[in-house]
Amino acid sequence: MPRRKPHSDRHADRSRTVAPLGGVFGRTEAGPDGDETYVVRTIPGTRAIKTYRCPGCDHEIAPGVAHIVAWPASGGEDDRRHWHRGCWNSRRTRRITRRWS
């Protein structure tokens, strides 16, 4: 009868695999301009504890309001922006009202 690998070796093999970007941080979608890939994460209202300003409509997202956080996949989390769900969903049919420097 063949000998089995020790239990700990099986888990070590799994830890070496790299998870896809969208699987860990959120899903990936086309950005507002359509030429860049963004990582998108849904924030439920129970986890929304601060006030943010939506770049799509330039209105505030109040604490307790479910929304979307998106950032360029190539830029990192320092470039993340908080969007209303409707503003993010219609990002291709309307212009961004607020540009960040």
Side-chain angles (χ1 to χ4, degrees):
M1 178 178 266
R3 199 167 158 219
R4 295 172 102 190
K5 283 185 172 182
H7 184 67
S8 61
D9 287 345
R10 285 186 284 167
H11 292 293
D13 290 340
R14 261 190 255 162
S15 66
R16 287 185 217 144
T17 60
V18 177
L21 182 68
V24 175
F25 298 110
R27 63 189 182 275
T28 56
E29 296 182 17
D33 296 330
D35 59 347
E36 193 171 8
T37 302
Y38 274 59
V39 179
V40 180
R41 184 183 298 163
T42 302
I43 304 297
T46 56
R47 295 199 53 220
I49 57 173
K50 291 171 56 178
T51 300
Y52 298 99
R53 182 149 313 260
C54 176
C57 66
D58 201 32
H59 288 114
E60 288 185 350
I61 302 172
V65 175
H67 61 279
I68 299 289
V69 177
W71 64 93
S74 61
E77 288 192 38
D78 293 338
D79 295 328
R80 32 174 207 221
R81 300 290 173 250
H82 296 253
W83 296 69
H84 292 107
R85 285 183 183 179
C87 294
W88 177 256
N89 291 338
S90 62
R91 67 193 176 279
R92 293 191 198 135
T93 58
R94 60 192 286 181
R95 305 276 310 159
I96 295 177
T97 55
R98 175 173 266 204
R99 290 283 178 189
W100 303 95
S101 53

